[in-house]
């Protein structure tokens, strides 16, 4: 660790330049941004970065980190070991309570036998079962809408490979897509409230059972009773990319169920069209999946740099460490995890002494519904009034271009000024509005200021999000380095403010 004396003359007051007008009743406070520390952060993060080696270890040595799997546990242990090596305090793997059983795929082989032989490019979906060795059977297309449909397939499902997803279009890819976000779009105000941002929350509640669901459940039971081989599932993208998350039950002791094998869209469609046109498709397949029920709890990785005169207040930074299993969880979300780890390493390496405690949290269970972050806050009600702000990264490998204020107008001038020294690195926008889909929502829902950075998309939506292509080669290392520097400076500045981050006024919305 290198300690450097800070030059007090290098502390400048930066007047914020607002990108868009916001309604703030109080006068806008000026942020004291320590440009000497900013310059040390940039030097440490851009010239002595450890982002690449950490990202490679997480993705290519530990590999996929499905919550509950041995990979997740290894990642928890390794990150806390790294925290200790950085010299952080209170580095712990902390249980957040019961999650359910773990799962890994240990083997898969599949091929089409008729009307011609071809290897089947597929991967099992998480928490689904195994075949009884190598099994051979016919593909059956079985759309189920009601109990009459179920009756139609009775007695026909022994060794069947069942297709229930729709035929999905594969469209030609002619159009150029922007991998970086244009300045114009970053500086364009988002659509007015109610136009709907955020992937999770709102309208996704489970109602009572409906007739279609009941018929489909009856069909699954019949398929198991008759000894069907597997469900074949379509991928949600073309170009040969296999995609998908979970399908089976995480509940300990529940039946393992039939395998669900996600196939490339092109092969799924080919099988579907042959069967529906009367051309028999015979398939041979072996699936070996394994469930883990020895420890049903799950864990977050935590560590901190203790504060000084405001040590009982916290600025938190985090990302989810868990991933889906088909790739190695590189852009979702080794990227965010490594950015946060590197931000802590940088701050420790330059020897800052923040006023508030800066605490890193790497969550698990995010992919199953932001569970690790929500349980952490449930387990620590004493922290709710003490957390000044939480910042999160979870939108792929792209560099940071700004941050959403999560409809907290008071946060805008704070971020505008803190982020101002990073305009040359492409950080330009503090957007008024909400973004969803990740762990900052756990904080926001409890009235704690929680924020998610805006990132360049690179190829997140096109190729890597929840696909088998989510691997190390798709990381943009320079972008991760930029992000770590920006995060380090952001949390440091928040930890040094006289006041906590302004909180939203009015009722808390489930954004
Ligand atoms: Zn994610």
């Amino acid at each position: 660790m290198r300690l450097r004396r800070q030059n007090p003359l290098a502390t400048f007051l930066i007047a914020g330049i607002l990108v868009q007008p916001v309604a703030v009743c109080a006068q806008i406070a000026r942020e004291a941004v320590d440009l000497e520390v900013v310059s040390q952060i940039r030097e440490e993060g851009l010239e002595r970065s450890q982002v690449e080696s950490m990202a490679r270890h997480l993705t290519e040595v530990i590999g996929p980190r499905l919550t509950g799997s041995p990979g997740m546990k290894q990642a928890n242990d390794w990150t806390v070991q790294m925290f200790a090596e950085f010299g952080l305090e209170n580095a712990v793997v902390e249980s957040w309570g019961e999650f359910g059983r773990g799962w890994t795929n240990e083997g898969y082989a599949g091929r089409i036998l008729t009307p011609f032989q071809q290897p089947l490019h597929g991967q099992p979906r998480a928490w689904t079962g195994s075949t009884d060795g190598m099994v051979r059977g016919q593909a059956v297309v079985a759309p189920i809408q009601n109990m009459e449909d179920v009756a139609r397939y009775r007695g026909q499902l022994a060794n069947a490979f069942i297709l229930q997803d729709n035929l999905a279009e594969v469209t030609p890819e002619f159009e150029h897509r922007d991998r970086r976000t244009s300045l114009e779009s970053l500086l364009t105000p988002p659509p007015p409230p109610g136009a709907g941002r955020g992937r999770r929350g709102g309208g996704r509640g489970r109602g009572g059972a409906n007739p279609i669901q009941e018929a489909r459940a009856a069909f699954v039971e019949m398929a198991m009773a008759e000894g069907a081989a597997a469900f074949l599932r379509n991928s949600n993208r073309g170009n040969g990319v296999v995609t998908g998350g979970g399908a089976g039950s995480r509940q300990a002791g529940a039946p393992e169920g039939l395998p669900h094998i996600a196939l490339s869209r092109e092969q799924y469609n080919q099988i579907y069209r042959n069967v529906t046109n009367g051309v028999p498709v015979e398939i041979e397949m072996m699936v070996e999946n394994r469930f883990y029920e020895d420890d049903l709890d799950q864990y977050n990785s935590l560590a901190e740099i203790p504060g000084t005169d405001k040590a009982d207040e916290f600025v938190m930074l985090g990302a989810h460490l868990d991933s889906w299993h088909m790739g190695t969880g590189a852009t979702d979300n080794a990227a965010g995890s490594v950015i946060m780890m590197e931000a802590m390493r940088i701050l420790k390496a330059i020897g800052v002494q923040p006023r508030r405690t800066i605490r890193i949290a790497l969550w698990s269970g995010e992919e199953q519904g932001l569970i690790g972050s929500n349980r952490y806050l449930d387990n620590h009600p004493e922290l709710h009034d003490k957390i000044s702000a939480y910042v999160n990264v979870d939108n792929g490998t792209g560099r940071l271009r700004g941050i959403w204020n999560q409809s907290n107008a008071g946060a805008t001038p704070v971020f505008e000024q803190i982020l101002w020294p990073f305009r040359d690195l492409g950080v330009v926008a503090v957007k008024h509005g909400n973004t969803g889909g990740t762990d900052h929502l756990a904080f926001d829902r409890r009235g704690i200021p929680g924020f998610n950075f805006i990132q360049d998309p690179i190829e997140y939506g096109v190729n890597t999000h929840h696909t088998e292509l989510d691997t190390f080669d798709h990381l943009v290392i320079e972008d991760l380095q930029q992000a770590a520097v920006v995060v380090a400076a952001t949390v440091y500045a928040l930890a040094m403010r006289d006041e906590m981050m302004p909180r939203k006024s009015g009722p808390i919305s489930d954004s």
Side-chain angles (χ1 to χ4, degrees), residues 214-232:
E214 280 174 11
R216 288 180 181 167
F219 180 83
V220 169
E221 246 175 64
M222 186 172 84
M224 287 185 68
E226 292 190 10
F231 285 94
L232 303 183

Side-chain angles (χ1 to χ4, degrees), residues 199 320 322 331-333 366-367 393-396 437-438 460 465-466:
R199 288 180 286 128
H320 71 88
D322 66 301
T331 66
D332 189 16
N333 191 16
E366 191 274 350
E367 297 292 3
V393 169
D394 185 19
N395 289 130
T438 185
Y460 196 51
H465 184 239
H466 298 182

